[in-house]
Amino acid sequence: MFHSFAVFSEVFHGILQENEMSKQSLVTSENFIHAISGTLGGVFSITLLFPFETARTRLQVDDRRPSKLSVKVIRDLISEEGWRSLYQGWRSLLVSLSVTNFVYFYVFYGLRSFNWSLSTDDHSFLENSNHVQNIFTDLMNGAIAGIAAVVISNPFWVINTRLKLQGVKLEASDRRSEQHSKYHGISDCFVKIIKAESPVALYSGLLSSLILVSNPAINFMIYESLKRNILPILSNFVSESSLYFCFGGTSKLVATVVTYPVQVVQTRARAGIGEKSNLGAIKIRRPNIGFWFRGLESKLVQTILTSAIMLLTYEHIRSLALLLLGFI
């Protein structure tokens, strides 16, 4: 434990000093490949499963819609609003997700490679991939990467939520978004939110988002731990692709169940539901156990499959890119 704290102390000292080692470890083509691979994996997976994301959002913010299986919600949306409603907000989500994933993957794996370089004279990212790595450092790296991704991408997620719910008739006892303007795309939404509300509105849900950095932190901590400890054993019997898929889904399952109540608060804040307060801290008037887990089934289906497909795609794109560029 104390060794881990010492490692992180050295990491931040190196970053602040901007010495030669930090330049070699944090700004590398390998880290860029991680970021691009994670971004492409996320885009591919969310495009396949976006209707489940739509169903989850509706269940979280629409109080009149009874909780039901995501497949039934999707069927109802098609019947009530047409199939196009399932992909409302898709483009803005791709932008939001791409920004988030690029920052997260770059910072997470950048910090990991930097940690390895501190503990060895050999700065090879690949040859030292299992050195000085444990659950604690992965969790801390994930938290730092999550904070960076949240601060940069939160305005994009607010815009995405507004566009996704635009024109949708919702019933919420504490809804204030009836005053929202009609938006015509991402840039128009950005400008109108600032003019009609304030720049602070772009950071609605920030507090819950910062708390939710625990979600990807837990996700990647478990995923990397499974890769280090289980993959070498099971890869003799099961294909690595199958293991990547299972590891990605399992790690996301745990992370989602643990953090889901905060995600409900976050979505309602971004949609403009709840009493206004600083940086997305909203008050819920009618909380109960069922309220905190509305849409969980839809979220689990969407997020487990999305994570599994994303990390599987990420691993293959990363391996191919490193191979083509001569790193392996």
Side-chain angles (χ1 to χ4, degrees):
M1 176 71 72
F2 290 103
H3 174 69
S4 298
F5 277 113
V7 169
F8 275 97
S9 177
E10 290 182 60
V11 169
F12 286 109
H13 177 74
I15 294 174
L16 292 174
Q17 294 296 322
E18 295 184 348
N19 56 32
E20 187 64 23
M21 182 179 293
S22 69
K23 292 179 181 179
Q24 293 177 359
S25 300
L26 292 177
V27 184
T28 66
S29 54
E30 293 104 322
N31 296 336
F32 184 76
I33 289 173
H34 278 293
I36 292 297
S37 300
T39 300
L40 293 177
V43 167
F44 176 68
S45 60
I46 197 63
T47 299
L48 289 178
L49 300 167
F50 191 77
F52 290 97
E53 169 69 13
T54 299
R56 186 270 307 175
T57 301
R58 294 295 187 89
L59 285 171
Q60 286 183 340
V61 303
D62 191 351
D63 291 344
R64 70 178 172 81
R65 189 176 295 277
S67 296
K68 58 177 67 175
L69 294 177
S70 54
V71 175
K72 292 183 179 179
V73 175
I74 291 173
R75 183 188 61 190
D76 290 346
L77 289 174
I78 294 175
S79 175
E80 297 167 5
E81 304 172 26
W83 67 269
R84 290 181 180 275
S85 65
L86 299 179
Y87 278 87
Q88 184 169 329
W90 172 73
R91 293 179 181 176
S92 60
L93 183 135
L94 288 189
V95 174
S96 306
L97 185 65
S98 296
V99 172
T100 301
N101 277 11
F102 186 90
V103 174
Y104 191 91
F105 275 81
Y106 193 97
V107 174
F108 180 81
Y109 286 103
L111 287 174
R112 294 183 91 223
S113 65
F114 186 73
N115 290 344
W116 300 329
S117 70
L118 289 176
S119 62
T120 177
D121 291 330
D122 179 3
H123 299 294
S124 171
F125 177 81
L126 296 171
E127 292 178 2
N128 299 291
S129 61
N130 290 314
H131 199 62
V132 195
Q133 290 303 302
N134 53 48
I135 290 178
F136 176 76
T137 54
D138 280 338
L139 184 62
M140 291 300 295
N141 289 342
I144 296 169
I147 292 172
V150 163
V151 172
I152 293 173
S153 68
N154 198 85
F156 294 96
W157 287 107
V158 171
I159 291 170
N160 169 252
T161 302
R162 297 291 183 88
L163 291 175
K164 186 159 53 177
L165 295 176
Q166 182 169 245
V168 177
K169 295 181 179 180
L170 302 178
E171 179 180 315
S173 58
D174 47 3
R175 181 165 174 76
R176 63 175 185 272
S177 57
E178 298 299 336
Q179 303 174 357
H180 294 165
S181 305
K182 181 174 178 59
Y183 308 120
H184 302 281
I186 297 174
S187 59
D188 181 64
C189 183
F190 177 83
V191 172
K192 286 182 177 177
I193 288 177
I194 292 178
K195 288 184 177 180
E197 299 174 57
S198 76
V200 176
L202 291 172
Y203 281 89
S204 297
L206 179 62
L207 180 61
S208 56
S209 296
L210 289 174
I211 296 174
L212 277 173
V213 300
S214 57
N215 183 292
I218 294 171
N219 184 19
F220 275 72
M221 175 191 71
I222 296 175
Y223 179 72
E224 291 295 334
S225 179
L226 290 172
K227 280 177 60 178
R228 284 195 303 273
N229 301 306
I230 306 299
L231 182 64
I233 299 174
L234 295 183
S235 60
N236 295 322
F237 311 99
V238 184
S239 68
E240 289 192 352
S241 294
S242 298
L243 291 175
Y244 290 143
F245 186 89
C246 292
F247 292 167
T250 300
S251 59
K252 196 62 175 180
L253 169 64
V254 176
T256 300
V257 172
V258 170
T259 62
Y260 192 75
V262 184
Q263 294 183 49
V264 173
V265 175
Q266 178 194 61
T267 301
R268 294 175 74 90
R270 287 173 173 171
I273 297 174
E275 296 180 18
K276 291 184 179 180
S277 58
N278 294 331
L279 297 180
I282 67 172
K283 297 179 182 179
I284 305 299
R285 295 182 179 179
R286 301 178 302 172
N288 55 61
I289 296 299
F291 172 88
W292 295 113
F293 290 93
R294 284 178 60 89
L296 177 60
E297 179 270 339
S298 178
K299 180 65 175 178
L300 286 178
V301 172
Q302 177 258 321
T303 197
I304 290 174
L305 290 177
T306 296
S307 179
I309 295 172
M310 178 188 73
L311 290 172
L312 172 62
T313 306
Y314 153 77
E315 295 288 356
H316 284 293
I317 293 177
R318 179 189 65 88
S319 296
L320 178 61
L322 292 174
L323 178 63
L324 294 176
L325 293 177
F327 288 99
I328 57 177

